[in-house]
């Protein structure tokens, strides 16, 4: 599962919380719609394996920082693929 700025304040995501599949979350430090605090709380409830990347100074739409989101996803996927070989 890859989630970018997930709406954790609007949905429970019970099946995601219980899943043993890898979960990658990317969130902006200054997200004005879904607070980073709420995402951290949600992340703490997830089963391993999981990874949270916080993009410094990014808002909900990652204005001007979309390449950082792409880089984070590439890094996450590369790290995961190395562990499964």
């Amino acid at each position: 599962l890859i989630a970018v700025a997930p709406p954790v304040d609007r949905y429970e995501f019970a099946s995601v919380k219980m899943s043993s599949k890898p979960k990658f979350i990317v969130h902006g430090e200054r997200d004005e719609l879904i607070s980073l605090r709420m995402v951290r709380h949600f992340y703490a409830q997830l089963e391993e394996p999981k990874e949270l990347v916080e993009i410094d100074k990014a808002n909900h739409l990652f204005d001007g920082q979309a390449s950082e989101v792409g880089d984070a996803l590439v890094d996450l996927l590369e790290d995961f693929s190395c562990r499964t070989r």
Side-chain angles (χ1 to χ4, degrees):
L1 168 74
I2 297 174
V4 178
V8 298
D9 61 336
R10 293 182 175 90
Y11 304 99
E12 188 174 326
F13 294 108
S15 61
V16 173
K17 290 177 185 176
M18 295 184 304
S19 176
S20 62
K21 294 182 180 181
K23 293 158 287 293
F24 305 129
I25 299 175
V26 180
H27 203 77
E29 177 188 41
R30 295 185 181 165
D31 191 313
E32 68 282 5
L33 299 180
I34 298 108
S35 74
L36 183 54
R37 180 185 55 78
M38 292 182 78
V39 171
R40 287 177 178 160
H41 177 74
F42 171 75
Y43 177 77
Q45 298 173 57
L46 297 176
E47 298 289 329
E48 293 286 348
K50 62 184 180 178
E51 186 82 30
L52 172 62
V53 174
E54 300 172 10
I55 305 293
D56 292 336
K57 301 177 185 173
N59 63 16
H60 186 70
L61 297 177
F62 300 93
D63 288 332
Q65 294 175 281
S67 65
E68 290 181 52
V69 175
D71 292 344
L73 293 174
V74 167
D75 290 345
L76 288 168
L77 293 172
E78 283 177 349
D79 288 348
F80 178 74
S81 65
C82 290
R83 287 193 303 251
T84 59
R85 288 184 184 180

